[in-house]
Amino acid sequence: MQEDTTLYERNPKYIPRVAAVHDMCGYGKCSLTAAIPILSACGCDVCPVPTALFSAHTKFPVYTFHDTTDILSGYLDAWRKVNVELDGVYSGFLGSAEQVDIIKRLYREYPKALRLVDPVMGDGGQMYPTYSKEMCEAVKTLVDGADVLMPNLTEASILTGRDYPGQNLSDDEATDWVGALLDMGAKNVVLKGIDRGDGKLRNFVGSASAGASARVELAHDKLPYMIHGTGDAFASALCGAVMAGKSLGESAQVAGEFVRHAMESTRNQPDFEMRGVSFELNLGELTELVG
């Protein structure tokens, strides 16, 4: 993949509109509570499509969950009646398998919009508790034609039907996994969160046009603690940088550094490991990075 490959040509006087198809979490920064401010900091007009309502994210021992599937068809009907236009469709956590059809409806009605797919289904080798095999099978159908597919290794294993390999992939194994995802029809892939235990976290960026063997490795310093919501923050920053006109490789680099700096800010907050990534103090830095 060439470093100067861009997916969106940004007019500096125009504010692109991005539909963010994610859940809304009342407490614990993730999904729409990450996507809206982060994409906004990148100069995007964020149009939320709430797929579920949570009182708090699923790492908490108690939370409420409300599936919004029943309201979404009318929600998008109303958008069409007021002539909403979109430049990107960024999808993440879903409340039901039927919501994949909502995303595909957006693809049909906005054929020129970039398809930015974060297949949020699980982490650490485990599926999220509100997901089912049926939902995962439905999410698989979003891979073919995705302009950017952004799975972690758990999600990559679900999508490809392979066994979860753990976090430590060799260079050759990473190339193989990127190739398997590209073979499913994704135009570009960002494989997230490879951890070899050497103090670095790696993301691998590959494109169908150049082939998996030309994938790019991006490494970032790993901090000695984990925080919920970093995947959503990374994907949102990556999408924002893409919509700012950065190349995919540059966008992944920007997103990785933004998340690392936000994690450093988070460490100073009370209950930081459960609260979620506190990125507010770093949004200005993100705006400068994509400028």
Side-chain angles (χ1 to χ4, degrees):
M1 186 181 70
Q2 298 299 314
E3 285 296 322
D4 60 355
T5 299
T6 56
L7 301 176
Y8 183 77
E9 295 292 339
R10 178 71 175 265
N11 178 341
K13 296 183 179 180
Y14 175 73
I15 299 174
R17 296 184 181 93
V18 178
V21 189
H22 286 258
D23 68 289
M24 174 63 80
C25 185
Y27 185 75
K29 249 76 66 67
C30 59
S31 52
L32 284 176
T33 51
I36 294 171
I38 290 172
L39 282 163
S40 296
C42 294
C44 295
D45 177 1
V46 190
C47 304
V49 181
T51 58
L53 301 177
F54 284 85
S55 59
H57 62 64
T58 59
K59 289 290 186 181
F60 283 94
V62 177
Y63 58 87
T64 63
F65 166 67
H66 178 73
D67 173 8
T68 62
T69 301
D70 290 346
I71 72 168
L72 293 182
S73 291
Y75 189 101
L76 296 188
D77 289 344
W79 275 16
R80 295 304 294 167
K81 290 176 182 177
V82 296
N83 298 316
V84 171
E85 295 295 336
L86 296 175
D87 301 289
V89 176
Y90 164 36
S91 60
F93 187 97
L94 304 182
S96 71
E98 291 77 14
Q99 290 179 357
V100 170
D101 290 332
I102 293 295
I103 297 169
K104 291 179 178 178
R105 173 181 172 177
L106 289 169
Y107 291 169
R108 291 193 303 271
E109 294 182 352
Y110 304 95
K112 294 182 180 179
L114 282 180
R115 302 180 182 185
L116 307 161
V117 180
D118 186 8
V120 180
M121 297 182 286
D123 201 3
Q126 299 294 321
M127 204 161 51
Y128 290 133
T130 60
Y131 267 65
S132 65
K133 290 183 178 180
E134 178 191 13
M135 288 180 67
C136 293
E137 286 298 316
V139 171
K140 284 184 184 182
T141 67
L142 297 176
V143 174
D144 190 10
D147 289 293
V148 184
L149 179 70
M150 301 167 276
N152 61 33
L153 282 166
T154 300
E155 292 150 355
S157 68
I158 294 171
L159 291 173
T160 59
R162 297 177 168 195
D163 291 337
Y164 173 64
Q167 297 293 96
N168 183 2
L169 293 185
S170 68
D171 285 348
D172 287 345
E173 288 170 331
T175 301
D176 180 58
W177 277 84
V178 168
L181 293 163
L182 292 173
D183 287 345
M184 294 180 67
K187 297 177 183 178
N188 298 280
V189 167
V190 180
L191 182 61
K192 304 180 296 187
I194 285 74
D195 185 356
R196 295 176 179 166
D198 61 354
K200 300 286 185 181
L201 285 177
R202 291 172 170 81
N203 303 309
F204 289 86
V205 183
S207 74
S209 60
S213 61
R215 94 287 180 280
V216 175
E217 176 186 320
L218 301 172
H220 302 271
D221 291 336
K222 180 185 177 182
L223 297 175
Y225 49 87
M226 298 300 293
I227 298 172
H228 188 83
T230 52
D232 290 342
F234 176 90
S236 298
L238 188 151
C239 291
V242 165
M243 300 306 298
K246 299 295 184 184
S247 74
L248 187 56
E250 289 174 321
S251 298
Q253 181 68 23
V254 163
E257 287 303 292
F258 167 70
V259 169
R260 183 171 65 85
H261 294 161
M263 287 179 68
E264 292 172 342
S265 298
T266 303
R267 180 65 179 83
N268 298 318
Q269 311 310 315
D271 301 320
F272 73 94
E273 290 177 315
M274 288 293 286
R275 176 179 177 153
V277 59
S278 297
F279 48 74
E280 289 83 356
L281 299 179
N282 302 91
L283 290 174
E285 171 194 350
L286 180 61
T287 301
E288 292 180 4
L289 285 171
V290 301

